[in-house]
Amino acid sequence: MLETGSMRIVVKGKNMGVTPIAREYAQKKVSKLARFFDGSHAVLAEVTLRSEKGTQIAEVILQLGGLTLRGEGKRAEMHGAVDEAVARIERQFQKYRTRIQRRMQTGPSAGQIASQQAAVEEPEAEGPEPDRIVRTKRFPVRPMSVEEAVMQMEMLDHDFFVFANAETGDINVVYRRRDSGYGLIEPEL
């Protein structure tokens, strides 16, 4: 773990050991993301390195307040995968700069302090039986507007996002439609 100013960087391997060179490289690259933040908020950066079928994969998740930015890179070499993941986060930050800065200035309210990360992982390639649940994921749900939920889904690069609708208090789901639009699921209880 490396702490630089208000940023804490954790590098870990998934089903593999992390070499000191890979750890140092990932910490160096991710620490450069600190230039986007003013230092008034604590930022946690989690870097997960893994290898699948000869492809090196680096996933970087930045958590600041109630906001999560996620970038994933896949390359033949781990250094390239880390570079790609960091570049994705930089692009996300540029795209959503105004919203992110506004959110960082106002800070999370008391009901929004819990960080949210709804990372959904795919089942293994061999595939379990279709009617069997292979993984359960629990995460805190915080109130937000539909627009914020769409932004969070885009930044995490997911196809759907579960959130508490700030207007109604109900649990809702936003999702990416195949026709390039978005959908909102509001359950009726």
Side-chain angles (χ1 to χ4, degrees), residues 25 49-50 55-60 71-88:
Y25 186 81
L49 308 175
R50 68 182 192 272
T55 302
Q56 306 302 314
I57 302 169
E59 178 185 49
V60 178
E72 184 176 89
K74 297 180 181 182
R75 292 279 191 251
E77 296 178 347
M78 191 57 78
H79 286 39
V82 170
D83 290 344
E84 183 179 344
V86 169
R88 285 179 187 255

Side-chain angles (χ1 to χ4, degrees), residues 66-68 103 148-156 161:
L67 183 68
T68 304
R103 191 117 164 246
E148 284 180 289
V150 169
M151 180 182 81
Q152 189 73 50
M153 178 182 70
E154 288 295 322
M155 287 191 293
L156 291 170
F161 188 77

Side-chain angles (χ1 to χ4, degrees), residues 106-186:
T106 59
S109 66
Q112 297 177 336
I113 294 213
S115 177
Q116 180 171 5
Q117 177 185 345
V120 178
E121 294 185 9
E122 300 285 324
E124 295 298 319
E126 293 106 41
E129 299 170 24
D131 61 345
R132 202 166 130 206
I133 296 177
V134 296
R135 185 161 201 267
T136 300
K137 181 82 174 184
R138 296 181 191 276
F139 59 93
V141 177
R142 66 179 187 84
M144 63 177 64
S145 69
V146 174
E147 292 78 20
E148 284 180 289
V150 169
M151 180 182 81
Q152 189 73 50
M153 178 182 70
E154 288 295 322
M155 287 191 293
L156 291 170
D157 195 28
H158 288 170
D159 294 326
F160 68 93
F161 188 77
V162 180
F163 69 104
N165 190 321
E167 293 177 19
T168 64
D170 294 334
I171 300 297
N172 289 178
V173 177
V174 290
Y175 63 95
R176 187 177 294 124
R177 295 175 48 92
R178 289 190 183 136
D179 65 1
S180 74
Y182 297 104
L184 174 65
I185 298 174
E186 296 177 316

